[in-house]
Amino acid sequence: MRSGKLRALARTAAFLLPLLCACFWLSRWNERLAFVARPDIPAGARIAFLGDSHVVDSLDPGRIDGAFNFASDGESYIHNFYKLRWLAERVPSLRSIVLPVDVHSFSSYRANRMPVTPEWARYIDYLEIGRLRGRWPHFARELLVLRLFGFRGEYRRFWEQGLLARGRPPAANIDRGFIPRAGFFLKKGRIMRGQRRARRQLQGVELFSPDMVLYFNRILGLARERGLKVVLVRFPVTPEYLREVETLVAVKDFYARVRRLAGPGVSFIDRHQALQHPPGRFFRDAQHLNLDGAERFSDLIRSDLERLGLFQEKN
């Protein structure tokens, strides 16, 4: 009886082990195909753009010498810290980082958006986040599921990028992490859409989440340790969005606290009122620039960075 059970267990293991290995291999392949999360980093790059969707579609490194865009949609200071740590170990020429500092940047709305995804798993220590949040079992389980079954639902990616493109990046025009996005914020209902977006991000949330403050300080600490210049940028938004924000947040007090958190040695660029005219012409929605807006905004930021002396040292 006992030997029969052992043989049954051995047959089950012999079936499951190759299956789990194949699942693990497919999941790792899926991570490697997440091209948006690993843009080309040019040799000798000195300036890294980190952040969220504001950075992804607003800062074109092709218009700023020695820069590359290392942001992706939905990222927060938690993601930014781990990606900066990854960069600091692999890009010795790095001298400066540019971070967004918008009204929702420190909020619990941002802190709560921490899914375990293949795009971020290559950089983020999810188990450390779980320990800090007291949710280690949750993140451990999610990470295990990702490692074994992360390929679920990604069959089109396997076919188009893995097989047809043979592992090369997709044909989309992604230049060193910058993703140009078209569209104009000119349709009817613009005011209502701007109000809805502001309320979703800011109404009833904690403006300075302890998690966000912790990881913001970790970014600054790592930057000091590595001798990196930190530049905080307040990105452009539409008047419709800003008016609603000002009914929800004491904006001046918010940025006064941000400056205190940043401390000396951190530069601040405020461009939130840039590109307002003609109305909606340079935006694709209430708070994101379109391609034309990104070109103009990148030129403005290049001038700002030049004024701060970021182009004086070249390796």
Side-chain angles (χ1 to χ4, degrees), residues 54-71:
H54 284 187
V55 181
V56 171
D57 53 19
S58 298
L59 290 177
D60 180 357
R63 307 178 80 88
I64 301 174
D65 296 341
F68 62 100
N69 197 321
F70 209 55

Side-chain angles (χ1 to χ4, degrees), residues 31-312:
E31 288 182 30
R32 290 194 295 271
L33 291 175
F35 293 107
V36 173
R38 53 182 183 92
D40 293 332
I41 301 175
R46 303 183 307 281
I47 304 172
F49 302 145
L50 295 168
D52 54 13
S53 54
H54 284 187
V55 181
V56 171
D57 53 19
S58 298
L59 290 177
D60 180 357
R63 307 178 80 88
I64 301 174
D65 296 341
F68 62 100
N69 197 321
F70 209 55
S72 65
D73 293 350
E75 292 189 352
S76 69
Y77 290 143
I78 299 176
H79 305 83
N80 302 160
F81 167 74
Y82 289 109
K83 292 178 78 172
L84 175 59
R85 189 169 70 178
W86 187 92
L87 285 174
E89 294 171 354
R90 292 166 175 81
V91 186
S93 59
L94 189 63
R95 294 292 178 269
S96 307
I97 60 171
V98 174
L99 285 170
V101 59
D102 298 302
V103 180
H104 63 278
S105 293
F106 287 89
S107 72
S108 54
Y109 169 82
R110 304 293 295 166
N112 293 335
R113 302 175 73 187
M114 274 303 304
V116 179
T117 70
E119 287 78 12
W120 291 325
R122 63 189 292 114
Y123 309 112
I124 295 178
D125 187 345
Y126 283 111
L127 298 182
E128 180 180 59
I129 295 173
R131 287 193 297 270
L132 291 173
R133 292 186 169 187
R135 300 184 65 201
W136 190 89
H138 166 77
F139 281 96
R141 183 181 67 250
E142 291 297 306
L143 189 59
L144 178 62
V145 170
L146 176 71
R147 293 299 187 209
L148 290 178
F149 308 110
F151 61 91
R152 294 176 304 170
E154 301 291 352
Y155 310 115
R156 182 175 178 180
R157 175 187 285 177
F158 287 136
W159 173 250
E160 294 181 351
Q161 298 179 20
L163 298 176
L164 295 183
R166 298 182 182 180
R168 294 188 298 272
N173 183 22
I174 302 176
D175 179 16
R176 284 175 281 174
F178 170 63
I179 304 178
R181 288 166 173 161
F184 300 102
F185 194 54
L186 299 172
K187 298 177 182 177
K188 293 181 180 179
R190 184 173 69 207
I191 295 176
M192 185 178 296
R193 288 199 300 276
Q195 291 173 339
R196 281 202 303 263
R197 182 177 288 269
R199 290 170 188 161
R200 186 175 72 245
Q201 294 177 338
L202 298 170
Q203 195 166 46
V205 305
E206 189 175 10
L207 284 179
F208 285 91
S209 159
D211 279 353
M212 291 294 99
V213 173
L214 170 66
Y215 274 93
F216 181 73
N217 287 330
R218 293 186 78 180
I219 291 171
L220 298 185
L222 180 57
R224 284 192 296 268
E225 177 187 320
R226 299 289 180 146
L228 303 177
K229 173 76 173 176
V230 178
V231 180
L232 304 178
V233 177
R234 187 177 176 190
F235 279 72
V237 294
T238 59
E240 293 83 4
Y241 177 84
L242 182 59
R243 280 195 293 270
E244 187 65 21
V245 165
E246 289 173 340
T247 69
L248 300 169
V249 178
V251 177
K252 289 184 179 179
D253 293 342
F254 174 87
Y255 281 103
R257 184 172 176 183
V258 169
R259 289 178 183 274
R260 291 196 298 271
L261 283 173
V266 175
S267 299
F268 189 90
I269 298 172
D270 187 348
R271 289 287 187 180
H272 79 281
Q273 291 184 317
L275 307 177
Q276 298 292 317
H277 301 287
R281 170 67 178 80
F282 298 108
F283 289 84
R284 64 180 177 86
D285 62 25
Q287 58 174 157
H288 294 95
L289 297 175
N290 58 26
L291 178 57
D292 292 340
E295 290 177 350
R296 297 190 180 216
F297 183 66
S298 297
D299 291 341
L300 289 174
I301 292 298
R302 175 180 165 63
S303 299
D304 292 330
L305 299 181
E306 192 168 20
R307 174 176 49 81
L308 294 171
L310 267 63
F311 301 116
Q312 291 176 3

